[in-house]
């Protein structure tokens, strides 16, 4: 059993995923893994549940299915983590469960976490449209937990002067940013194409 737990903890340490970037993740999931054998009447639930917990982060990344980079603001990450930990803590407070119940509940919490993360990442991108022109917000990269930022283009300009300034800012950004490969080689550059290119980076 000690070897299994060590293997599970090493697997989780190597994995990366949005929730993994939250500071309490290691402590919380270490507790969940070490107490999983107390939560089922059926011995078959223990390895299944242990694997679900050990693979939580890497499975999260597989299930996100986003067309944009998996980058989340610290505020939204904390909100999602709080909900997930609360649900897992409630599950662990229960008495021993009948066969199959515990891993099924873990899967349900996992699926809800993926949905919450998808929504949080997409909502941050959509909120960019409330700004006028180039907008940058700080994020955490779910793939490696490093601080990152997202740059996008907002269309919420209230005057023609603001709009002109916003477009000029976008064009200047494109000219000084060698990393925007998606704009090369485009002779007929449109605002929509430039904005979509920003969204992908």
């Amino acid at each position: 059993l000690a070897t299994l737990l060590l293997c599970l903890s090493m697997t989780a340490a190597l994995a990366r995923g949005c929730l993994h970037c939250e500071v309490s993740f290691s402590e919380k999931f270490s507790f969940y893994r070490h107490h999983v054998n107390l939560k089922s009447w059926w011995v078959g639930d223990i390895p299944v549940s242990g694997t679900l917990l050990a693979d939580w982060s890497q499975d999260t990344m597989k299930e996100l299915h986003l067309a944009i980079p998996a980058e989340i603001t610290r505020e939204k990450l904390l909100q999602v983590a709080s909900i997930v930990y609360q649900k897992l803590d409630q599950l662990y407070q229960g008495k021993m469960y009948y066969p199959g119940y515990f891993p099924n509940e873990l899967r349900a919490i996992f699926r809800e976490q993926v949905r919450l993360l998808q929504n949080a990442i997409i909502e941050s991108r959509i909120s960019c449209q409330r700004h006028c022109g180039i907008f940058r917000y700080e994020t955490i990269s779910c793939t490696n937990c490093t601080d990152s930022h997202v740059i996008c283009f907002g269309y919420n300009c209230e005057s023609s002067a603001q709009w002109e300034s916003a477009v000029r800012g976008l064009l200047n950004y494109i000219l000084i940013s060698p990393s925007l490969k998606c704009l090369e080689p485009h002779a007929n550059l449109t605002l929509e194409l430039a904005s979509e290119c920003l969204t992908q980076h």
Side-chain angles (χ1 to χ4, degrees), residues 60-142:
T60 297
M61 293 307 292
K62 289 176 189 172
E63 292 298 318
L64 280 176
H65 303 305
L66 293 169
I68 57 177
E71 295 175 331
I72 189 168
T73 64
R74 285 191 185 278
E75 179 187 6
K76 290 186 182 296
L77 176 60
L78 290 174
Q79 289 172 0
V80 173
S82 176
I83 292 168
V84 172
Y85 297 153
Q86 183 180 16
K87 288 184 174 295
L88 286 169
D89 289 344
Q90 286 173 350
L91 181 63
Y92 273 78
Q93 285 168 8
K95 303 299 181 187
M96 291 183 74
Y97 298 114
Y98 59 80
Y101 180 86
F102 195 75
N104 286 340
E105 288 299 301
L106 283 178
R107 287 187 193 100
I109 295 170
F110 173 83
R111 284 192 299 270
E112 182 175 1
Q113 173 227 214
V114 169
R115 182 185 59 79
L116 290 170
L117 288 170
Q118 288 171 330
N119 290 345
I121 292 167
I122 293 167
E123 282 168 12
S124 293
R125 286 295 180 107
I126 291 172
S127 71
C128 171
Q129 295 178 2
R130 300 188 194 114
H131 299 270
C132 176
I134 292 283
F135 179 68
R136 170 182 169 142
Y137 59 95
E138 301 304 313
T139 56
I140 299 169
S141 170
C142 291

Side-chain angles (χ1 to χ4, degrees), residues 138-167:
E138 301 304 313
T139 56
I140 299 169
S141 170
C142 291
T143 53
N144 56 19
C145 297
T146 57
D147 289 333
S148 57
H149 63 268
V150 172
I151 296 175
C152 50
F153 186 82
Y155 291 84
N156 190 22
C157 301
E158 296 179 357
S159 68
S160 57
Q162 274 189 336
W163 181 250
E164 186 179 333
S165 175
V167 172

